[in-house]
mmCIF file of all heavy atoms in Angstrom:
data_model
loop_
_atom_site.group_PDB
_atom_site.id
_atom_site.type_symbol
_atom_site.label_atom_id
_atom_site.label_comp_id
_atom_site.label_asym_id
_atom_site.label_seq_id
_atom_site.Cartn_x
_atom_site.Cartn_y
_atom_site.Cartn_z
ATOM 1 N N ALA A 137 -6.974 -31.961 -4.214
ATOM 2 C CA ALA A 137 -8.269 -32.661 -3.942
ATOM 3 C C ALA A 137 -8.149 -34.138 -4.228
ATOM 4 O O ALA A 137 -8.903 -34.955 -3.522
ATOM 5 C CB ALA A 137 -9.296 -32.026 -4.839
ATOM 6 N N THR A 138 -7.297 -34.579 -5.113
ATOM 7 C CA THR A 138 -7.276 -36.030 -5.496
ATOM 8 C C THR A 138 -6.115 -36.740 -4.753
ATOM 9 O O THR A 138 -5.993 -37.949 -4.998
ATOM 10 C CB THR A 138 -7.147 -36.212 -7.034
ATOM 11 O OG1 THR A 138 -5.965 -35.496 -7.400
ATOM 12 C CG2 THR A 138 -8.319 -35.612 -7.739
ATOM 13 N N GLY A 139 -5.358 -36.069 -3.885
ATOM 14 C CA GLY A 139 -4.323 -36.753 -3.230
ATOM 15 C C GLY A 139 -3.059 -36.854 -3.978
ATOM 16 O O GLY A 139 -2.113 -37.552 -3.511
ATOM 17 N N GLU A 140 -2.894 -36.217 -5.161
ATOM 18 C CA GLU A 140 -1.577 -36.264 -5.867
ATOM 19 C C GLU A 140 -0.566 -35.560 -5.003
ATOM 20 O O GLU A 140 0.642 -35.881 -5.102
ATOM 21 C CB GLU A 140 -1.796 -35.508 -7.182
ATOM 22 C CG GLU A 140 -2.668 -36.197 -8.136
ATOM 23 C CD GLU A 140 -2.085 -37.521 -8.684
ATOM 24 O OE1 GLU A 140 -0.764 -37.553 -8.710
ATOM 25 O OE2 GLU A 140 -2.787 -38.448 -9.037
ATOM 26 N N LEU A 141 -0.949 -34.597 -4.203
ATOM 27 C CA LEU A 141 -0.073 -33.939 -3.269
ATOM 28 C C LEU A 141 -0.519 -34.365 -1.862
ATOM 29 O O LEU A 141 -1.670 -34.320 -1.584
ATOM 30 C CB LEU A 141 -0.055 -32.434 -3.381
ATOM 31 C CG LEU A 141 0.528 -31.780 -4.649
ATOM 32 C CD1 LEU A 141 0.246 -30.384 -4.761
ATOM 33 C CD2 LEU A 141 1.990 -32.112 -4.726
ATOM 34 N N ALA A 142 0.404 -34.819 -1.078
ATOM 35 C CA ALA A 142 0.048 -35.394 0.216
ATOM 36 C C ALA A 142 -0.566 -34.257 1.135
ATOM 37 O O ALA A 142 -0.030 -33.132 1.134
ATOM 38 C CB ALA A 142 1.335 -35.976 0.970
ATOM 39 N N PRO A 143 -1.572 -34.512 1.900
ATOM 40 C CA PRO A 143 -2.154 -33.547 2.771
ATOM 41 C C PRO A 143 -1.219 -32.929 3.763
ATOM 42 O O PRO A 143 -1.392 -31.763 4.205
ATOM 43 C CB PRO A 143 -3.311 -34.276 3.419
ATOM 44 C CG PRO A 143 -3.580 -35.474 2.581
ATOM 45 C CD PRO A 143 -2.274 -35.848 1.985
ATOM 46 N N THR A 144 -0.184 -33.696 4.099
ATOM 47 C CA THR A 144 0.778 -33.221 5.077
ATOM 48 C C THR A 144 1.956 -32.450 4.500
ATOM 49 O O THR A 144 2.877 -32.048 5.291
ATOM 50 C CB THR A 144 1.261 -34.353 5.902
ATOM 51 O OG1 THR A 144 1.790 -35.377 5.131
ATOM 52 C CG2 THR A 144 0.166 -35.028 6.775
ATOM 53 N N GLU A 145 1.901 -32.427 3.120
ATOM 54 C CA GLU A 145 3.145 -31.832 2.502
ATOM 55 C C GLU A 145 3.082 -30.251 2.504
ATOM 56 O O GLU A 145 1.982 -29.627 2.228
ATOM 57 C CB GLU A 145 3.205 -32.287 1.001
ATOM 58 C CG GLU A 145 4.372 -31.703 0.235
ATOM 59 C CD GLU A 145 4.422 -32.185 -1.236
ATOM 60 O OE1 GLU A 145 3.736 -33.203 -1.459
ATOM 61 O OE2 GLU A 145 5.085 -31.528 -1.998
ATOM 62 N N ARG A 146 4.116 -29.656 2.875
ATOM 63 C CA ARG A 146 4.162 -28.141 2.901
ATOM 64 C C ARG A 146 4.192 -27.678 1.449
ATOM 65 O O ARG A 146 4.939 -28.143 0.672
ATOM 66 C CB ARG A 146 5.356 -27.650 3.618
ATOM 67 C CG ARG A 146 5.468 -26.128 3.788
ATOM 68 C CD ARG A 146 6.354 -25.587 4.884
ATOM 69 N NE ARG A 146 7.783 -26.014 4.693
ATOM 70 C CZ ARG A 146 8.667 -25.151 4.119
ATOM 71 N NH1 ARG A 146 8.286 -23.905 3.812
ATOM 72 N NH2 ARG A 146 9.896 -25.446 4.071
ATOM 73 N N LEU A 147 3.394 -26.683 1.158
ATOM 74 C CA LEU A 147 3.241 -26.289 -0.184
ATOM 75 C C LEU A 147 4.278 -25.049 -0.475
ATOM 76 O O LEU A 147 3.928 -23.860 -0.321
ATOM 77 C CB LEU A 147 1.878 -25.683 -0.460
ATOM 78 C CG LEU A 147 0.700 -26.702 -0.164
ATOM 79 C CD1 LEU A 147 -0.658 -26.175 -0.269
ATOM 80 C CD2 LEU A 147 0.900 -27.930 -1.174
ATOM 81 N N ARG A 148 5.437 -25.498 -0.867
ATOM 82 C CA ARG A 148 6.522 -24.516 -1.116
ATOM 83 C C ARG A 148 6.495 -24.071 -2.589
ATOM 84 O O ARG A 148 6.299 -24.896 -3.511
ATOM 85 C CB ARG A 148 7.808 -25.207 -0.876
ATOM 86 C CG ARG A 148 8.092 -25.603 0.593
ATOM 87 C CD ARG A 148 9.359 -26.345 0.754
ATOM 88 N NE ARG A 148 10.504 -25.596 0.358
ATOM 89 C CZ ARG A 148 11.340 -25.959 -0.582
ATOM 90 N NH1 ARG A 148 11.076 -27.148 -1.161
ATOM 91 N NH2 ARG A 148 12.378 -25.251 -0.928
ATOM 92 N N ALA A 149 6.487 -22.720 -2.735
ATOM 93 C CA ALA A 149 6.329 -22.181 -4.069
ATOM 94 C C ALA A 149 7.451 -22.649 -5.040
ATOM 95 O O ALA A 149 7.169 -22.913 -6.228
ATOM 96 C CB ALA A 149 6.360 -20.603 -3.984
ATOM 97 N N GLU A 150 8.686 -22.771 -4.497
ATOM 98 C CA GLU A 150 9.734 -23.223 -5.375
ATOM 99 C C GLU A 150 9.535 -24.620 -5.934
ATOM 100 O O GLU A 150 9.670 -24.863 -7.145
ATOM 101 C CB GLU A 150 11.106 -23.119 -4.663
ATOM 102 C CG GLU A 150 11.472 -21.742 -4.269
ATOM 103 C CD GLU A 150 10.874 -21.295 -3.008
ATOM 104 O OE1 GLU A 150 10.035 -22.024 -2.451
ATOM 105 O OE2 GLU A 150 11.151 -20.198 -2.554
ATOM 106 N N ARG A 151 9.091 -25.546 -5.053
ATOM 107 C CA ARG A 151 8.872 -26.914 -5.565
ATOM 108 C C ARG A 151 7.742 -27.051 -6.430
ATOM 109 O O ARG A 151 7.703 -27.804 -7.418
ATOM 110 C CB ARG A 151 8.585 -27.806 -4.220
ATOM 111 C CG ARG A 151 8.518 -29.310 -4.593
ATOM 112 C CD ARG A 151 8.446 -30.106 -3.362
ATOM 113 N NE ARG A 151 9.740 -30.028 -2.607
ATOM 114 C CZ ARG A 151 9.962 -30.561 -1.428
ATOM 115 N NH1 ARG A 151 8.904 -31.302 -0.796
ATOM 116 N NH2 ARG A 151 11.123 -30.491 -0.829
ATOM 117 N N LEU A 152 6.616 -26.288 -6.104
ATOM 118 C CA LEU A 152 5.460 -26.273 -7.012
ATOM 119 C C LEU A 152 5.733 -25.693 -8.296
ATOM 120 O O LEU A 152 5.165 -26.163 -9.398
ATOM 121 C CB LEU A 152 4.272 -25.564 -6.263
ATOM 122 C CG LEU A 152 3.751 -26.217 -5.058
ATOM 123 C CD1 LEU A 152 2.760 -25.322 -4.361
ATOM 124 C CD2 LEU A 152 3.100 -27.563 -5.343
ATOM 125 N N ALA A 153 6.527 -24.624 -8.376
ATOM 126 C CA ALA A 153 6.923 -24.001 -9.652
ATOM 127 C C ALA A 153 7.658 -25.059 -10.454
ATOM 128 O O ALA A 153 7.460 -25.087 -11.725
ATOM 129 C CB ALA A 153 7.813 -22.780 -9.407
ATOM 130 N N GLU A 154 8.500 -25.803 -9.890
ATOM 131 C CA GLU A 154 9.238 -26.856 -10.650
ATOM 132 C C GLU A 154 8.241 -27.919 -11.113
ATOM 133 O O GLU A 154 8.326 -28.421 -12.254
ATOM 134 C CB GLU A 154 10.294 -27.479 -9.784
ATOM 135 C CG GLU A 154 11.116 -28.629 -10.483
ATOM 136 C CD GLU A 154 12.187 -29.188 -9.587
ATOM 137 O OE1 GLU A 154 12.440 -28.536 -8.497
ATOM 138 O OE2 GLU A 154 12.785 -30.178 -10.002
ATOM 139 N N ARG A 155 7.281 -28.359 -10.290
ATOM 140 C CA ARG A 155 6.305 -29.300 -10.674
ATOM 141 C C ARG A 155 5.475 -28.935 -11.811
ATOM 142 O O ARG A 155 5.190 -29.772 -12.739
ATOM 143 C CB ARG A 155 5.367 -29.656 -9.482
ATOM 144 C CG ARG A 155 4.310 -30.575 -9.708
ATOM 145 C CD ARG A 155 3.364 -30.752 -8.447
ATOM 146 N NE ARG A 155 2.252 -31.650 -8.703
ATOM 147 C CZ ARG A 155 2.344 -32.897 -8.425
ATOM 148 N NH1 ARG A 155 3.423 -33.425 -7.861
ATOM 149 N NH2 ARG A 155 1.318 -33.726 -8.678
ATOM 150 N N TYR A 156 5.042 -27.694 -11.889
ATOM 151 C CA TYR A 156 4.158 -27.202 -12.998
ATOM 152 C C TYR A 156 4.894 -26.473 -14.141
ATOM 153 O O TYR A 156 4.223 -26.037 -15.079
ATOM 154 C CB TYR A 156 3.082 -26.381 -12.388
ATOM 155 C CG TYR A 156 2.186 -27.112 -11.395
ATOM 156 C CD1 TYR A 156 2.246 -26.756 -10.005
ATOM 157 C CD2 TYR A 156 1.470 -28.142 -11.794
ATOM 158 C CE1 TYR A 156 1.501 -27.433 -9.040
ATOM 159 C CE2 TYR A 156 0.668 -28.862 -10.830
ATOM 160 C CZ TYR A 156 0.663 -28.408 -9.421
ATOM 161 O OH TYR A 156 -0.060 -29.166 -8.564
ATOM 162 N N GLY A 157 6.167 -26.486 -13.965
ATOM 163 C CA GLY A 157 6.963 -25.857 -15.071
ATOM 164 C C GLY A 157 6.738 -24.372 -15.291
ATOM 165 O O GLY A 157 6.664 -23.885 -16.461
ATOM 166 N N VAL A 158 6.645 -23.620 -14.150
ATOM 167 C CA VAL A 158 6.335 -22.173 -14.302
ATOM 168 C C VAL A 158 7.253 -21.453 -13.279
ATOM 169 O O VAL A 158 7.924 -22.160 -12.468
ATOM 170 C CB VAL A 158 4.930 -21.888 -13.948
ATOM 171 C CG1 VAL A 158 3.945 -22.543 -14.936
ATOM 172 C CG2 VAL A 158 4.461 -22.338 -12.603
ATOM 173 N N SER A 159 7.229 -20.110 -13.270
ATOM 174 C CA SER A 159 7.958 -19.394 -12.359
ATOM 175 C C SER A 159 7.163 -19.360 -10.989
ATOM 176 O O SER A 159 6.042 -19.832 -10.966
ATOM 177 C CB SER A 159 8.155 -17.967 -12.816
ATOM 178 O OG SER A 159 6.935 -17.296 -12.869
ATOM 179 N N ARG A 160 7.748 -18.700 -9.955
ATOM 180 C CA ARG A 160 7.080 -18.695 -8.689
ATOM 181 C C ARG A 160 5.864 -17.726 -8.621
ATOM 182 O O ARG A 160 4.993 -17.940 -7.814
ATOM 183 C CB ARG A 160 8.046 -18.361 -7.572
ATOM 184 C CG ARG A 160 9.102 -19.458 -7.323
ATOM 185 C CD ARG A 160 10.189 -18.969 -6.331
ATOM 186 N NE ARG A 160 11.079 -18.006 -7.063
ATOM 187 C CZ ARG A 160 12.034 -17.356 -6.405
ATOM 188 N NH1 ARG A 160 12.256 -17.641 -5.076
ATOM 189 N NH2 ARG A 160 12.758 -16.501 -7.035
ATOM 190 N N THR A 161 5.885 -16.796 -9.476
ATOM 191 C CA THR A 161 4.778 -15.711 -9.443
ATOM 192 C C THR A 161 3.408 -16.437 -9.632
ATOM 193 O O THR A 161 2.526 -16.151 -8.819
ATOM 194 C CB THR A 161 5.043 -14.666 -10.478
ATOM 195 O OG1 THR A 161 6.201 -13.950 -10.059
ATOM 196 C CG2 THR A 161 3.873 -13.683 -10.466
ATOM 197 N N PRO A 162 3.121 -17.132 -10.695
ATOM 198 C CA PRO A 162 1.825 -17.731 -10.895
ATOM 199 C C PRO A 162 1.486 -18.783 -9.749
ATOM 200 O O PRO A 162 0.332 -18.877 -9.407
ATOM 201 C CB PRO A 162 1.801 -18.367 -12.240
ATOM 202 C CG PRO A 162 3.303 -18.562 -12.530
ATOM 203 C CD PRO A 162 4.000 -17.405 -11.897
ATOM 204 N N VAL A 163 2.450 -19.443 -9.197
ATOM 205 C CA VAL A 163 2.331 -20.396 -8.186
ATOM 206 C C VAL A 163 1.841 -19.593 -6.883
ATOM 207 O O VAL A 163 0.874 -19.967 -6.204
ATOM 208 C CB VAL A 163 3.580 -21.140 -7.806
ATOM 209 C CG1 VAL A 163 3.365 -21.969 -6.483
ATOM 210 C CG2 VAL A 163 3.910 -22.086 -8.959
ATOM 211 N N ARG A 164 2.411 -18.477 -6.571
ATOM 212 C CA ARG A 164 2.027 -17.669 -5.442
ATOM 213 C C ARG A 164 0.638 -17.111 -5.614
ATOM 214 O O ARG A 164 -0.127 -17.064 -4.620
ATOM 215 C CB ARG A 164 3.082 -16.571 -5.258
ATOM 216 C CG ARG A 164 4.405 -17.058 -4.635
ATOM 217 C CD ARG A 164 5.205 -15.949 -4.158
ATOM 218 N NE ARG A 164 6.428 -16.383 -3.445
ATOM 219 C CZ ARG A 164 7.738 -16.317 -3.929
ATOM 220 N NH1 ARG A 164 7.856 -15.736 -5.083
ATOM 221 N NH2 ARG A 164 8.726 -16.798 -3.286
ATOM 222 N N GLU A 165 0.372 -16.702 -6.806
ATOM 223 C CA GLU A 165 -1.072 -16.287 -7.043
ATOM 224 C C GLU A 165 -2.146 -17.397 -6.854
ATOM 225 O O GLU A 165 -3.143 -17.148 -6.312
ATOM 226 C CB GLU A 165 -1.166 -15.729 -8.523
ATOM 227 C CG GLU A 165 -0.422 -14.412 -8.685
ATOM 228 C CD GLU A 165 -0.540 -13.901 -10.126
ATOM 229 O OE1 GLU A 165 -1.493 -14.420 -10.809
ATOM 230 O OE2 GLU A 165 0.193 -12.987 -10.557
ATOM 231 N N ALA A 166 -1.745 -18.570 -7.315
ATOM 232 C CA ALA A 166 -2.575 -19.739 -7.232
ATOM 233 C C ALA A 166 -2.817 -20.070 -5.698
ATOM 234 O O ALA A 166 -3.960 -20.318 -5.252
ATOM 235 C CB ALA A 166 -2.142 -20.915 -7.948
ATOM 236 N N LEU A 167 -1.746 -20.027 -4.953
ATOM 237 C CA LEU A 167 -1.815 -20.344 -3.549
ATOM 238 C C LEU A 167 -2.568 -19.261 -2.828
ATOM 239 O O LEU A 167 -3.408 -19.590 -1.887
ATOM 240 C CB LEU A 167 -0.379 -20.421 -2.997
ATOM 241 C CG LEU A 167 0.451 -21.660 -3.349
ATOM 242 C CD1 LEU A 167 1.896 -21.475 -2.872
ATOM 243 C CD2 LEU A 167 -0.161 -22.848 -2.731
ATOM 244 N N ALA A 168 -2.497 -18.010 -3.190
ATOM 245 C CA ALA A 168 -3.267 -16.922 -2.570
ATOM 246 C C ALA A 168 -4.793 -17.238 -2.834
ATOM 247 O O ALA A 168 -5.641 -16.972 -1.958
ATOM 248 C CB ALA A 168 -2.838 -15.598 -3.114
ATOM 249 N N ARG A 169 -5.125 -17.658 -4.062
ATOM 250 C CA ARG A 169 -6.527 -17.812 -4.402
ATOM 251 C C ARG A 169 -7.055 -19.041 -3.613
ATOM 252 O O ARG A 169 -8.167 -19.037 -3.050
ATOM 253 C CB ARG A 169 -6.705 -18.159 -5.884
ATOM 254 C CG ARG A 169 -6.646 -16.958 -6.767
ATOM 255 C CD ARG A 169 -6.963 -17.365 -8.288
ATOM 256 N NE ARG A 169 -8.260 -17.905 -8.396
ATOM 257 C CZ ARG A 169 -8.727 -18.410 -9.542
ATOM 258 N NH1 ARG A 169 -7.940 -18.555 -10.573
ATOM 259 N NH2 ARG A 169 -10.007 -18.857 -9.575
ATOM 260 N N LEU A 170 -6.183 -20.093 -3.493
ATOM 261 C CA LEU A 170 -6.618 -21.285 -2.695
ATOM 262 C C LEU A 170 -6.768 -20.932 -1.227
ATOM 263 O O LEU A 170 -7.642 -21.498 -0.524
ATOM 264 C CB LEU A 170 -5.617 -22.424 -2.865
ATOM 265 C CG LEU A 170 -5.534 -23.013 -4.294
ATOM 266 C CD1 LEU A 170 -4.358 -23.849 -4.454
ATOM 267 C CD2 LEU A 170 -6.846 -23.845 -4.482
ATOM 268 N N GLN A 171 -5.976 -19.994 -0.730
ATOM 269 C CA GLN A 171 -6.131 -19.578 0.641
ATOM 270 C C GLN A 171 -7.448 -18.796 0.839
ATOM 271 O O GLN A 171 -8.143 -19.013 1.795
ATOM 272 C CB GLN A 171 -4.937 -18.663 1.022
ATOM 273 C CG GLN A 171 -4.170 -19.048 2.248
ATOM 274 C CD GLN A 171 -3.110 -18.113 2.740
ATOM 275 O OE1 GLN A 171 -2.362 -17.657 1.866
ATOM 276 N NE2 GLN A 171 -3.015 -17.825 3.901
ATOM 277 N N ALA A 172 -7.819 -17.913 -0.105
ATOM 278 C CA ALA A 172 -9.000 -17.241 -0.031
ATOM 279 C C ALA A 172 -10.185 -18.141 -0.187
ATOM 280 O O ALA A 172 -11.281 -17.914 0.438
ATOM 281 C CB ALA A 172 -9.024 -16.186 -1.207
ATOM 282 N N ASP A 173 -10.057 -19.235 -0.919
ATOM 283 C CA ASP A 173 -11.156 -20.289 -1.013
ATOM 284 C C ASP A 173 -11.289 -21.100 0.260
ATOM 285 O O ASP A 173 -12.250 -21.808 0.354
ATOM 286 C CB ASP A 173 -10.792 -21.201 -2.176
ATOM 287 C CG ASP A 173 -10.889 -20.553 -3.516
ATOM 288 O OD1 ASP A 173 -11.484 -19.451 -3.639
ATOM 289 O OD2 ASP A 173 -10.362 -21.158 -4.470
ATOM 290 N N GLY A 174 -10.274 -21.027 1.155
ATOM 291 C CA GLY A 174 -10.325 -21.818 2.376
ATOM 292 C C GLY A 174 -9.723 -23.194 2.152
ATOM 293 O O GLY A 174 -9.917 -24.075 3.053
ATOM 294 N N LEU A 175 -9.083 -23.469 0.976
ATOM 295 C CA LEU A 175 -8.581 -24.824 0.747
ATOM 296 C C LEU A 175 -7.186 -24.978 1.168
ATOM 297 O O LEU A 175 -6.698 -26.052 1.267
ATOM 298 C CB LEU A 175 -8.765 -25.067 -0.813
ATOM 299 C CG LEU A 175 -10.137 -24.961 -1.437
ATOM 300 C CD1 LEU A 175 -10.059 -25.195 -2.886
ATOM 301 C CD2 LEU A 175 -11.102 -25.933 -0.697
ATOM 302 N N VAL A 176 -6.452 -23.828 1.348
ATOM 303 C CA VAL A 176 -5.100 -23.849 1.865
ATOM 304 C C VAL A 176 -5.051 -22.948 3.119
ATOM 305 O O VAL A 176 -5.660 -21.848 3.128
ATOM 306 C CB VAL A 176 -4.195 -23.304 0.758
ATOM 307 C CG1 VAL A 176 -2.768 -23.004 1.335
ATOM 308 C CG2 VAL A 176 -4.041 -24.396 -0.326
ATOM 309 N N VAL A 177 -4.292 -23.337 4.118
ATOM 310 C CA VAL A 177 -4.199 -22.604 5.384
ATOM 311 C C VAL A 177 -2.724 -22.396 5.678
ATOM 312 O O VAL A 177 -1.869 -23.223 5.236
ATOM 313 C CB VAL A 177 -4.922 -23.312 6.492
ATOM 314 C CG1 VAL A 177 -6.399 -23.360 6.289
ATOM 315 C CG2 VAL A 177 -4.406 -24.711 6.717
ATOM 316 N N ARG A 178 -2.455 -21.327 6.377
ATOM 317 C CA ARG A 178 -1.083 -21.056 6.779
ATOM 318 C C ARG A 178 -0.833 -21.452 8.169
ATOM 319 O O ARG A 178 -1.537 -21.152 9.111
ATOM 320 C CB ARG A 178 -0.747 -19.579 6.652
ATOM 321 C CG ARG A 178 0.635 -19.197 7.003
ATOM 322 C CD ARG A 178 0.937 -17.693 6.771
ATOM 323 N NE ARG A 178 0.863 -17.383 5.319
ATOM 324 C CZ ARG A 178 1.908 -17.592 4.482
ATOM 325 N NH1 ARG A 178 3.040 -18.226 4.899
ATOM 326 N NH2 ARG A 178 1.842 -17.294 3.239
ATOM 327 N N HIS A 179 0.206 -22.278 8.393
ATOM 328 C CA HIS A 179 0.717 -22.667 9.677
ATOM 329 C C HIS A 179 2.010 -21.906 9.906
ATOM 330 O O HIS A 179 2.471 -21.118 9.103
ATOM 331 C CB HIS A 179 0.947 -24.187 9.803
ATOM 332 C CG HIS A 179 -0.353 -24.981 9.632
ATOM 333 N ND1 HIS A 179 -1.480 -24.726 10.396
ATOM 334 C CD2 HIS A 179 -0.735 -25.968 8.825
ATOM 335 C CE1 HIS A 179 -2.406 -25.546 10.141
ATOM 336 N NE2 HIS A 179 -1.984 -26.339 9.154
#
């Protein structure tokens, strides 16, 4: 929402897991929630 991640950047679970210091599982859960919210879309 604040532009810390570029709008054109592909949201890769591996890279986001490294960014937030977690495994890929919570990242994938977060992405699934954001998809359900309509804030993330799949191309």
Side-chain angles (χ1 to χ4, degrees):
T138 58
E140 291 292 328
L141 292 170
T144 55
E145 180 179 344
R146 183 158 67 98
L147 301 173
R148 297 174 56 243
E150 295 81 0
R151 182 173 297 176
L152 293 173
E154 181 179 349
R155 176 185 180 91
Y156 299 114
V158 297
S159 68
R160 288 173 291 177
T161 296
V163 171
R164 288 194 173 107
E165 290 181 14
L167 288 171
R169 284 185 63 188
L170 290 167
Q171 236 184 315
D173 292 342
L175 303 178
V176 166
V177 294
R178 181 175 294 280
H179 295 308

